[in-house]
Amino acid sequence: MNEIIGKIIISIGIIADFIGCIGLIRFPDVYTRLQASTKCVTLGTCGIFFGVFVHSGFTSLGIKALLIVIFVFLTSPVSSHALARAAYRSGVKMCDKSVCDEYKSQVDRG
Amino acid sequence: MIYRKIFLTLLIFVIWIILSGVELYNILVGIFCSILIVLLFGDINIQNQWTVNKPQRYLWFIYYFIVFLYEVIKANLDVAYRIILPNMPIKPGIVRVKTKLKSDAGLTLLANSITLTPGTLSVDIDKDNGYIYVHWIYVRDINIEETTKKISWKFEKILLKIFP
Amino acid sequence: MKTFIKYVLGLVLVALFIFLNFTVKMDLPIRFLNPMILSLVLCLYRIFIGPSPADRAVATDILGLLIVGICGILSVFKNAAFFIDISIAWALQSFIGNLALAKYLEGKKFDE
């Protein structure tokens, strides 16, 4: 029973990963790509490891999988935040569909 | 102070034994590494120590975690919807959000939860004025009160109780 | 019109991939690994054509997370517990590497 539920959760994670990578190809500029890929791939990877935890229970393998879930949830938004800030400061333009930009004045001020 | 260090050493050693199994080699390496880690990093302090012993904070934290998980799943469905549709309903832009939080841990949690919720990505923090710059995939409003109410208020009212 | 043709072509390719993944005879772990490998190929494509360095950095970030996920799947289906140690190490290393990449893009030194 545990193994079937674990495999179902792993499959959901794989589907989320795949959709995130399609978003990485389809979206028009860096920031929207970051949005799509970060959300979907973070939940996908966490789903895979939560599935590993459900599949193998409270063994050494399962506890290590829970540690990876917590670690990825904490660090993946931080790295995407750093990449977005660096991309803006290095002069990457937003795509031509965008409507407003209130960050420009802050960057110009220093 | 010395009791705290001994407690930390025992905690790290027990976690190591749970993760790697009981053997002679593992126990020797565990004792060596835990003493080394506590000697190197044991002096790092918690910012305001009187908040550690309040039990309500942990209950609020569990509530925050449930709300957060619900929002993460909603965000994934939202992004998948925008990816799969042929004409991609996006209208991106960068807006400002006002925050009242002061501590570093609270600001980090708020920025992380903004990044993982529907359609928003935190770009930068202006700590002196209390602004967070947010990239929004479908801009509904530019006015700062409206954006605060729509993006971050549902997390901030919980985080204000955890990190006063 | 051109984007519409591209969209239909992509939809047909994805449907063909899913159909082949469920009908061709192969082991169960390979069926689980195929979509991840296709995602890796998409990431490599973005690294190859990305117009700006920031695009390549984003794709590298995603590539690290995908490889961590592949190690997790292998550790379940091959009954080999050492893969999960590999994934812990890879997650840590990929996080540090991405922060260094972001610093480099911003044009700062590493001690600021």
Side-chain angles (χ1 to χ4, degrees):
Chain A
M1 194 61 201
N2 270 354
E3 301 190 348
I4 297 173
I5 297 176
K7 274 171 191 164
I8 291 173
I9 297 176
I10 290 178
S11 320
I12 294 174
I14 291 173
I15 292 170
D17 269 0
F18 188 57
I19 290 178
C21 283
I22 293 177
L24 190 64
I25 295 295
R26 283 199 75 200
F27 273 149
D29 70 336
V30 179
Y31 309 101
T32 44
R33 269 172 212 150
L34 256 180
Q35 293 231 11
S37 50
T38 302
K39 280 174 197 115
C40 285
V41 174
T42 304
L43 188 86
T45 308
C46 288
I48 287 173
F49 281 98
F50 193 72
V52 173
F53 168 68
V54 172
H55 190 281
S56 59
F58 277 99
T59 55
S60 146
L61 186 69
I63 294 173
K64 278 177 193 168
L66 265 192
L67 276 182
I68 296 182
V69 170
I70 297 169
F71 183 76
V72 170
F73 250 117
L74 282 182
T75 60
S76 164
V78 175
S79 74
S80 79
H81 158 79
L83 277 174
R85 186 167 179 270
Y88 199 96
R89 301 244 166 172
S90 76
V92 178
K93 294 278 185 296
M94 296 169 65
C95 72
D96 45 358
K97 276 186 189 175
S98 18
V99 282
C100 63
D101 188 359
E102 300 205 3
Y103 187 42
K104 200 166 187 301
S105 58
Q106 165 79 12
V107 174
D108 291 341
R109 239 183 294 139
Chain B
M1 200 60 203
I2 190 75
Y3 294 113
R4 198 176 138 225
K5 283 192 177 179
I6 292 174
F7 174 72
L8 263 179
T9 314
L10 281 179
L11 189 69
I12 294 173
F13 181 67
V14 166
I15 292 175
W16 169 262
I17 288 299
I18 289 174
L19 284 182
S20 63
V22 183
E23 288 173 30
L24 182 62
Y25 174 73
N26 280 340
I27 292 173
L28 287 180
V29 172
I31 291 172
F32 177 70
C33 284
S34 50
I35 290 176
L36 190 67
I37 288 172
V38 171
L39 280 185
L40 284 179
F41 302 109
D43 294 331
I44 298 173
N45 276 318
I46 304 171
Q47 265 188 352
N48 30 5
Q49 293 185 343
W50 55 273
T51 52
V52 175
N53 298 323
K54 280 187 170 179
Q56 307 97 304
R57 294 177 81 222
Y58 302 103
L59 291 178
W60 277 114
F61 191 78
I62 293 170
Y63 176 65
Y64 165 77
F65 190 74
I66 293 170
V67 172
F68 177 64
L69 213 59
Y70 171 70
E71 289 290 329
V72 166
I73 292 170
K74 214 170 81 181
N76 273 276
L77 292 180
D78 180 71
V79 167
Y81 159 79
R82 288 186 203 286
I83 288 172
I84 289 174
L85 279 192
N87 52 351
M88 286 193 296
I90 58 175
K91 197 166 87 176
I94 295 182
V95 295
R96 276 189 305 185
V97 164
K98 195 160 181 53
T99 177
K100 292 199 198 84
L101 289 167
K102 289 280 179 251
S103 66
D104 282 346
L107 277 174
T108 311
L109 267 183
L110 183 65
N112 274 7
S113 41
I114 283 177
T115 297
L116 285 177
T117 50
T120 51
L121 170 79
S122 55
V123 176
D124 202 351
I125 291 181
D126 185 359
K127 213 177 163 188
D128 303 328
N129 301 324
Y131 291 139
I132 298 182
Y133 293 89
V134 172
H135 181 269
W136 203 356
I137 205 170
Y138 197 88
V139 178
R140 294 197 179 86
D141 226 319
I142 306 183
N143 190 6
I144 188 163
E145 279 93 20
E146 290 292 317
T147 54
T148 307
K149 208 165 79 183
K150 276 179 185 156
I151 295 177
S152 75
W153 181 242
K154 55 180 177 281
F155 296 113
E156 198 180 339
K157 70 184 174 196
I158 306 173
L159 283 174
L160 275 178
K161 292 201 171 76
I162 304 178
F163 303 99
Chain C
M1 195 62 203
K2 202 178 158 193
T3 57
F4 184 72
I5 292 175
K6 267 180 166 175
Y7 178 76
V8 171
L9 195 66
L11 210 62
V12 167
L13 281 181
V14 170
L16 187 69
F17 171 74
I18 294 173
F19 176 73
L20 286 181
N21 195 19
F22 279 107
T23 51
V24 176
K25 185 170 182 298
M26 50 186 150
D27 293 342
L28 186 64
I30 309 292
R31 283 190 213 276
F32 275 87
L33 281 179
N34 274 334
M36 300 296 283
I37 292 170
L38 188 59
S39 317
L40 285 182
V41 172
L42 292 181
C43 271
L44 287 177
Y45 178 70
R46 176 51 74 194
I47 292 178
F48 184 66
I49 67 162
S52 67
D55 289 291
R56 298 192 166 110
V58 172
T60 315
D61 180 8
I62 303 307
L63 196 73
L65 279 178
L66 285 177
I67 290 175
V68 172
I70 284 181
C71 288
I73 297 173
L74 281 176
S75 76
V76 166
F77 287 106
K78 296 286 180 187
N79 257 333
F82 63 88
F83 274 115
I84 208 145
D85 298 331
I86 297 176
S87 57
I88 290 177
W90 200 300
L92 288 164
Q93 178 263 347
S94 144
F95 174 59
I96 306 288
N98 280 314
L99 287 190
L101 260 182
K103 284 279 180 194
Y104 161 72
L105 277 180
E106 209 166 339
K108 280 184 180 175
K109 298 277 170 46
F110 287 120
D111 52 353
E112 280 182 70

